[in-house]
Amino acid sequence: MPEGKFCNKTPITTDEQLKATLGDKGGKQYYEEMNHLDVDSDKLWASIQKTMKSRTKTWLEICAHCGLCAESCFLYQVNGRVPEQVPSYKIQSTLGVMVKKKGKVDNEFMQMCMETAWSKCTCCNRCGMYCPHGIDMGVMFSYLRGLLYSQGFVPWELKIGSGMHRVYRAQMDVTTEDWVETCEWMAEENEEDWPGLEIPVDKEGADIMYTCNAREPKHYPEDIAEAAILFHVAGENWTVPSEGWEQTSLSMFAGDWECCKDNVLNVYAALERLKPKRAIGTECGHAHRATVIEGPYWAGRPDGQPPVPYIHYVEWLAEALREGKLKIDPAKRIKEPVTLQDSCNYVRNQGLKDVTREIISYIVEPGYFVEMAPNKEHNYCCGGGGGFNGIGKYREQRNVALRKKRDQILDTGCKLVIAPCHNCWDAIRDLEEEYEIGIRWSFLKPLVIGMLDVPKHLLPPEE
């Protein structure tokens, strides 16, 4: 059976295909068809020969099978430290075997690879820090996901997510009209409390172009309003694009390489059209990685950089506090034990560990900030990164994965967790729902707004 109604080897590209796949609740028929899917071994091997670079080949060959990467992996730790969860074993038994057999593998093997790639690795890249040879299994698993996607072996939710990007240019069904109307709605909704508040759309030559996560207009529009309020109070000249506002990339999680490139080119086209001085992305880890770290290479940019300087929201927030554009009322600072979740994608993978702690120094009363152990670039994944949060088929495994972050938080004694990343925020929310440890969690934006020392001219007139 080469293809089927849902689990075919071609991407979802139309709204009709999306609706059909979404209609298969939980992917029951999708996975049933996957059981009968043929592996195109010739195509698989041709793809490996064409796309596998010398670095990945070298990593597979020089792995000493020493096992020193084992303890670096939180999934190894929370799953009874079984050998099957050692990072080197996971990649050698999947991609390594696929290469050795020159793509001549069967359906059962590919389904095993799919489960390993999406439920036994979040591509957090922590293992690469501890391997004596610098081998990064997270990078190789990202590559493996692409090979699996090309053969139709990808979790149902990520097949849909990548399809959403192709059809709507966003990970959720948010049209251009929906997006613009949400911006107008949020400005109107908050103008009474914040006179003069605007969310400018398609303003050319602004100092800042702001991009976000599609989950914000779809489910959390207040996040867009909060960003607008902080830009407003800081006196920034900013805008959002009507097209190219969606910064995330579920296609990166899915391994849909072609769509990854298309996503980032859409954002870059907005930058080139509106010509801002720089761009700022929302409190999202993988969105930053997809657009700023990996994106330039997907787009074929020879300098490895986006068209304009592109920073994460925490970088702008630290800058605004440092330069006095935003002022904190000392009486409103956090005065309870609080800890911080480090996002793998912009702390470990881009080194922004000190920026987040600079923000903490402004908003938390001295003596109340408690670091997780370990922390900064050594911190563990939230437990739901790399698409793990959204895959129903592997929900049980994901809930086990959350135990590491649960224990880290419990060890701090804190009841408040700051999580400046959508995946981390979601995982910690789910952690509380699953284990009921009595914590609260928050992005930075609402916390900062609640403690601002706002200039009088920006406040509503007194009645």
Side-chain angles (χ1 to χ4, degrees):
M1 179 178 174
E3 294 185 0
K5 180 180 178 182
F6 304 109
C7 184
N8 55 64
K9 298 179 182 180
T10 57
I12 293 172
T13 57
T14 69
D15 194 46
E16 291 72 23
Q17 290 173 322
L18 262 179
K19 288 176 180 176
T21 311
L22 283 164
D24 177 28
K25 299 298 183 184
K28 185 177 180 180
Q29 290 178 268
Y30 175 87
Y31 289 120
E32 176 59 32
E33 288 188 359
M34 186 183 290
N35 291 333
H36 304 284
L37 199 61
D38 294 331
V39 180
D40 187 338
S41 297
D42 291 339
K43 180 182 176 182
L44 179 59
W45 180 236
S47 180
I48 291 171
Q49 290 179 298
K50 181 180 178 181
T51 61
M52 181 179 278
K53 305 301 181 184
S54 58
R55 181 179 68 169
T56 303
K57 292 177 184 176
T58 302
W59 279 347
L60 285 173
E61 290 172 2
I62 68 171
C63 175
H65 305 273
C66 64
L68 288 176
C69 56
E71 286 295 333
S72 71
C73 180
F74 78 102
L75 289 166
Y76 171 80
Q77 293 185 33
V78 299
N79 283 285
R81 290 180 163 81
V82 296
E84 292 80 8
Q85 286 282 357
V86 175
S88 57
Y89 175 85
K90 288 184 279 193
I91 199 65
Q92 291 289 348
S93 64
T94 53
L95 180 61
V97 170
M98 196 181 288
V99 172
K100 286 178 181 177
K101 291 189 174 183
K102 298 184 176 180
K104 297 188 183 302
V105 294
D106 59 18
N107 181 294
E108 183 180 0
F109 175 83
M110 293 295 272
Q111 290 208 49
M112 180 276 290
C113 287
M114 182 180 80
E115 181 174 359
T116 305
W118 277 284
S119 77
K120 296 182 181 179
C121 179
T122 62
C123 301
C124 77
N125 307 103
R126 192 174 190 268
C127 55
M129 295 181 60
Y130 295 90
C131 172
H133 297 299
I135 299 170
D136 194 326
M137 269 65 72
V139 170
M140 289 198 283
F141 268 115
S142 293
Y143 176 69
L144 175 62
R145 288 181 178 193
L147 297 174
L148 292 166
Y149 180 90
S150 71
Q151 293 285 323
F153 295 91
V154 59
W156 177 72
E157 292 88 350
L158 294 180
K159 181 77 171 185
I160 291 169
S162 187
M164 287 284 186
H165 278 293
R166 287 174 175 270
V167 175
Y168 291 99
R169 302 261 185 177
Q171 62 160 280
M172 294 183 174
D173 53 347
V174 180
T175 65
T176 298
E177 183 180 9
D178 293 336
W179 162 246
V180 173
E181 286 182 354
T182 299
C183 291
E184 293 170 351
W185 169 41
M186 284 296 100
E188 292 170 4
E189 189 80 6
N190 291 275
E191 64 182 353
E192 186 174 333
D193 293 330
W194 301 95
L197 181 70
E198 294 181 339
I199 301 181
V201 179
D202 284 342
K203 181 179 180 180
E204 293 186 16
D207 293 335
I208 293 167
M209 189 187 91
Y210 182 66
T211 54
C212 71
N213 183 317
R215 296 172 70 252
E216 293 164 15
K218 185 72 174 179
H219 298 300
Y220 309 114
E222 64 274 13
D223 196 283
I224 301 165
E226 289 162 356
I229 290 165
L230 289 170
F231 285 144
H232 176 65
V233 174
E236 296 286 17
N237 172 20
W238 72 292
T239 190
V240 295
S242 58
E243 299 274 357
W245 54 271
E246 158 68 303
Q247 192 188 351
T248 66
S249 182
L250 287 193
S251 46
M252 179 175 74
F253 292 160
D256 185 352
W257 297 333
E258 181 182 18
C259 189
C260 287
K261 178 179 179 180
D262 185 58
N263 293 345
V264 77
L265 285 176
N266 195 39
V267 178
Y268 290 177
L271 291 171
E272 289 162 350
R273 174 169 54 88
L274 298 180
K275 298 178 174 54
K277 291 180 181 176
R278 59 177 176 168
I280 297 173
T282 189
E283 292 180 68
C284 183
H286 95 268
H288 186 74
R289 181 173 183 170
T291 313
V292 182
I293 302 172
E294 308 279 3
Y297 299 100
W298 295 338
R301 296 186 63 83
D303 61 355
Q305 298 294 324
V308 302
Y310 209 135
I311 64 174
H312 192 275
Y313 195 81
V314 296
E315 294 179 271
W316 174 81
L317 188 53
E319 174 193 288
L321 291 166
R322 187 188 315 127
E323 296 181 358
K325 292 179 179 180
L326 297 175
K327 291 183 169 60
I328 300 299
D329 182 344
K332 296 179 180 178
R333 294 206 292 187
I334 296 170
K335 296 179 178 66
E336 66 170 296
V338 58
T339 192
L340 172 70
Q341 165 61 10
D342 292 293
S343 167
C344 302
N345 281 318
Y346 66 82
V347 173
R348 179 154 39 251
N349 290 311
Q350 211 196 18
L352 299 184
K353 59 186 179 183
D354 295 329
V355 174
T356 48
R357 284 155 181 81
E358 181 181 357
I359 296 169
I360 293 291
S361 72
Y362 288 99
I363 67 174
V364 178
E365 190 77 7
Y368 285 98
F369 176 54
V370 184
E371 289 276 17
M372 289 186 193
N375 53 66
K376 300 180 180 178
E377 70 269 34
H378 298 284
N379 209 333
Y380 293 103
C381 171
C382 61
F388 207 3
N389 269 337
I391 304 173
K393 184 177 178 70
Y394 305 134
R395 181 48 52 99
E396 184 177 341
Q397 295 97 313
R398 196 291 308 261
N399 287 345
V400 171
L402 296 175
R403 293 175 186 171
K404 188 65 185 181
K405 192 57 56 182
R406 175 199 65 185
D407 293 347
Q408 279 188 285
I409 294 170
L410 286 171
D411 287 346
T412 67
C414 298
K415 296 298 182 183
L416 176 60
V417 183
I418 298 175
C421 168
H422 272 278
N423 263 339
C424 298
W425 191 97
D426 284 351
I428 293 168
R429 174 203 60 200
D430 291 356
L431 180 161
E432 173 58 24
E433 290 179 0
E434 180 70 17
Y435 296 107
E436 298 181 347
I437 62 174
I439 58 170
R440 309 183 325 276
W441 58 98
S442 180
F443 290 115
L444 283 163
K445 297 184 193 81
L447 293 175
V448 172
I449 289 172
M451 59 183 74
L452 281 177
D453 182 1
V454 183
K456 287 186 178 180
H457 72 278
L458 294 177
L459 294 170
E462 295 182 8
E463 296 181 1

